[in-house]
Amino acid sequence: MQLQKFDEMNASPEQVRAHYENYARWLAQQPPDVMQARREEAEVIFRRVGITFAVYGAKDEDGSGTERLIPFDLIPRIIPASEWQEMQAGLVQRVTALNRFIHDVYHGQDIIKAGIIPADQVFQNAQFRPEMVGVDVPGGVYSHIAGVDIVRAPDAQGKGEYYVLEDNLRVPSGVSYMLEDRKMMMRLFPSLFAENRVAPVAHYPDLLLETLRAVSPAHTAEPTVVVLTPGMYNSAYFEHAFLAQQMGVELVEGQDLFVKDNFVYMRTTRGPKRVDVIYRRVDDDFLDPLAFRPTSTLGCAGLLDVYRSGNVTLCNAIGTGVADDKSIYPYVPDMIDFYLGEKPLLNNVPTYMGRKPDDLQYILANLQDLVVKEVHGAGGYGMLVGPASTKAEIEDFRKAVQANPTGYIAQPTLSLSTCPTYVQSGIAPRHIDLRPFVLSGKTVQMVPGGLTRVALKEGSLVVNSSQGGGTKDTWVLEA
């Protein structure tokens, strides 16, 4: 199946898109040896700073776990101001509706009573937390930090249309790479930022802290915020430490926290200090051994009771994952209509659900042309990219889908847009996506752009860092 292509930088081999013209002229004047030297300099600096991620299950030759550098590409992904404004409006709309949905399923459940989403899709969802039913959270905000994955694909006219591929509402990661990529570009090529009106992103930690403080319990005027990490062996530990440092707040592990008199405290060298807001980078199951997984040493015993009584705020809220499951994703346009009375400004990718008999029949008949995903899968695992798979892989996946139809969705194989990228052979097009980070507190806000991920393998559509993907700086040009 031959897919149409959309190149972010080049309208044709002879024509550069208007918003890339300044950059393309500059790039054409750069000697290859200078750019290669900059690439090597970036790698040395990233290693020195420690911007790595752990790869679960991967081992080096000596049997130890692996820490890898996420490859950084020097060619930015550039978005004109008009496109960003439309995308931003769509993101605000979408995250607002998702927060309304999460509040609804733990309160009145009106969308279920209206027959729009089947009850079993919610109540049998592994991320639905009965403990949260009837619990009020500050401002009705559940997903304070959302990472929404957006792809661009050619439409019927060959122009690029943006689609939402996935909503990450639990503990989305990657924002530290967005910030570090920008710092690196400004360090390596300061003149580019003098010549181009690139919207800033460096104020993200300030917006994040403002968002976290805005949802503090009402009993304090100067809330104490902490970042809760599973520890240094977590794949995103660099980001946890980075964000705590950038916000000027404490980075804590579960053992640093304790509950007393229905409040949460952290241990400090000056004695216990009450904690008001926890930006938790720990999954629900591990947050409180008294309420969830008894063997967990990553959380704080008694935390759920304090949370339910309103004496501490967790960001993101417990039970938020019910809205970012791939089996719920197809219903987000209905949520926007139901809660906001609006049509979606950003479209979903057309999605077939294995739980629907007609959809299942279509999926099984067209596996070779579809992307099939486990509804609970993440990180590029548990999926089949039909056009890139062998007959044996397709048949194995067919058996898996037939054995558990409700556990899978399928989507057309979109030809993700490409962006010129430095690879071994020189500059070549590689597929990309975009993860903007949406902050919800008293208002919904974000910095312009996000994390652009790039699939470095030729022809690959999988951009995840765990699958060999890299990152680019994302420029939103100011009007």
Side-chain angles (χ1 to χ4, degrees):
M1 184 174 68
Q2 187 63 38
L3 298 172
Q4 285 184 290
K5 294 181 179 174
F6 183 92
D7 188 291
E8 297 284 342
M9 182 170 172
N10 302 300
S12 70
E14 299 80 32
Q15 184 185 0
V16 173
R17 299 189 192 280
H19 58 283
Y20 261 100
E21 285 175 355
N22 278 351
Y23 178 80
R25 276 195 297 271
W26 175 89
L27 182 63
Q29 295 168 1
Q30 304 310 305
D33 58 329
V34 170
M35 294 302 282
Q36 180 58 33
R38 294 291 180 271
R39 291 175 71 196
E40 292 168 3
E41 183 181 346
E43 183 168 335
V44 167
I45 294 169
F46 276 146
R47 285 199 185 280
R48 190 184 305 143
V49 175
I51 307 177
T52 58
F53 74 103
V55 184
Y56 293 130
K59 300 287 182 185
D60 285 330
E61 290 177 5
D62 63 1
S64 64
T66 62
E67 285 228 338
R68 294 182 189 163
L69 193 73
I70 297 181
F72 167 68
D73 187 63
L74 298 183
I75 300 179
R77 189 251 184 93
I78 303 179
I79 300 171
S82 57
E83 280 184 16
W84 172 251
Q85 285 161 7
E86 291 176 11
M87 192 190 303
Q88 181 173 255
L91 289 165
V92 170
Q93 178 196 58
R94 189 176 183 96
V95 171
T96 300
L98 283 162
N99 268 309
R100 293 275 292 274
F101 167 73
I102 304 168
H103 180 271
D104 185 22
V105 299
Y106 291 119
H107 290 81
Q109 301 170 351
D110 296 328
I111 201 165
I112 297 170
K113 292 171 184 172
I116 293 169
I117 297 181
D120 64 316
Q121 288 287 82
V122 174
F123 301 135
Q124 293 179 24
N125 188 305
Q127 297 299 322
F128 177 75
R129 301 292 177 185
E131 299 87 350
M132 289 297 292
V133 172
V135 177
D136 291 322
V137 298
V141 179
Y142 287 77
S143 184
H144 309 84
I145 304 99
V148 181
D149 292 346
I150 292 180
V151 297
R152 191 184 223 178
D155 56 19
Q157 289 76 41
K159 296 179 180 177
E161 182 174 355
Y162 289 111
Y163 296 90
V164 174
L165 188 64
E166 198 166 284
D167 303 293
N168 300 283
L169 306 177
R170 281 176 272 179
V171 281
S173 62
V175 76
S176 59
Y177 301 108
M178 173 190 83
L179 296 168
E180 289 290 356
D181 287 355
R182 174 60 55 84
K183 279 166 61 178
M184 182 61 69
M185 286 293 284
M186 295 181 81
R187 175 175 182 153
L188 297 178
F189 310 112
S191 65
L192 276 174
F193 292 87
E195 297 163 11
N196 295 276
R197 291 172 57 82
V198 181
V201 296
H203 58 297
Y204 176 85
D206 296 332
L207 289 185
L208 176 59
L209 184 57
E210 177 188 314
T211 297
L212 298 174
R213 284 178 165 164
V215 293
S216 169
H219 59 251
T220 177
E222 284 294 320
T224 298
V225 177
V226 299
V227 178
L228 174 62
T229 177
M232 63 183 295
Y233 297 108
N234 183 266
S235 62
Y237 180 73
F238 166 79
E239 176 156 300
H240 307 164
F242 174 86
L243 288 175
Q245 186 268 331
Q246 291 289 306
M247 288 191 289
V249 304
E250 294 294 330
L251 179 70
V252 300
E253 297 182 30
Q255 62 194 8
D256 301 319
L257 302 177
F258 67 94
V259 168
K260 183 180 179 184
D261 299 330
N262 212 27
F263 286 95
V264 178
Y265 294 85
M266 67 172 159
R267 297 177 172 89
T268 77
T269 53
R270 297 181 179 182
K273 183 173 179 62
R274 200 167 80 194
V275 173
D276 303 299
V277 181
I278 300 175
Y279 176 24
R280 52 92 171 213
R281 300 298 295 259
V282 174
D283 288 334
D284 287 358
D285 281 343
F286 302 96
L287 276 175
D288 183 348
L290 300 182
F292 302 117
R293 189 172 298 195
T295 56
S296 172
T297 58
L298 303 179
C300 171
L303 178 60
L304 179 64
D305 284 342
V306 181
Y307 180 50
R308 284 164 56 109
S309 66
N311 288 338
V312 72
T313 299
L314 295 177
C315 303
N316 290 338
I318 293 173
T320 296
V322 71
D324 74 4
D325 189 284
K326 291 180 179 67
S327 67
I328 293 295
Y329 162 90
Y331 297 102
V332 177
D334 297 323
M335 294 177 201
I336 292 170
D337 179 40
F338 184 76
Y339 296 115
L340 307 179
E342 299 169 359
K343 294 214 175 304
L345 299 173
L346 285 169
N347 289 323
N348 273 15
V349 177
T351 303
Y352 304 94
M353 292 185 268
R355 70 191 312 276
K356 294 184 175 181
D358 289 349
D359 283 11
L360 177 61
Q361 192 174 349
Y362 181 85
I363 293 169
L364 294 172
N366 294 277
L367 283 172
Q368 70 280 2
D369 296 327
L370 298 171
V371 176
V372 188
K373 304 175 183 178
E374 284 183 331
V375 296
H376 300 310
Y381 297 102
M383 64 186 287
L384 174 85
V385 180
S389 301
T390 65
K391 286 185 178 178
E393 288 168 339
I394 289 171
E395 289 313 306
D396 285 345
F397 228 83
R398 183 188 308 280
K399 290 173 188 167
V401 174
Q402 286 172 325
N404 179 28
T406 60
Y408 293 89
I409 62 166
Q411 296 167 332
T413 306
L414 295 182
S415 179
L416 308 190
S417 65
T418 60
C419 187
T421 301
Y422 276 101
V423 294
Q424 205 71 35
S425 58
I427 296 178
R430 289 294 184 266
H431 294 292
I432 59 172
D433 78 352
L434 177 67
R435 177 175 290 182
F437 294 90
V438 185
L439 300 174
S440 302
K442 286 184 177 168
T443 60
V444 182
Q445 54 189 342
M446 65 201 81
V447 296
L451 177 67
T452 290
R453 302 182 297 178
V454 54
L456 295 173
K457 297 174 188 169
E458 185 174 4
S460 174
L461 298 171
V462 183
V463 299
N464 304 74
S465 53
S466 56
Q467 306 284 309
T471 66
K472 290 174 172 285
D473 191 14
T474 307
W475 292 7
V476 172
L477 299 183
E478 295 181 320

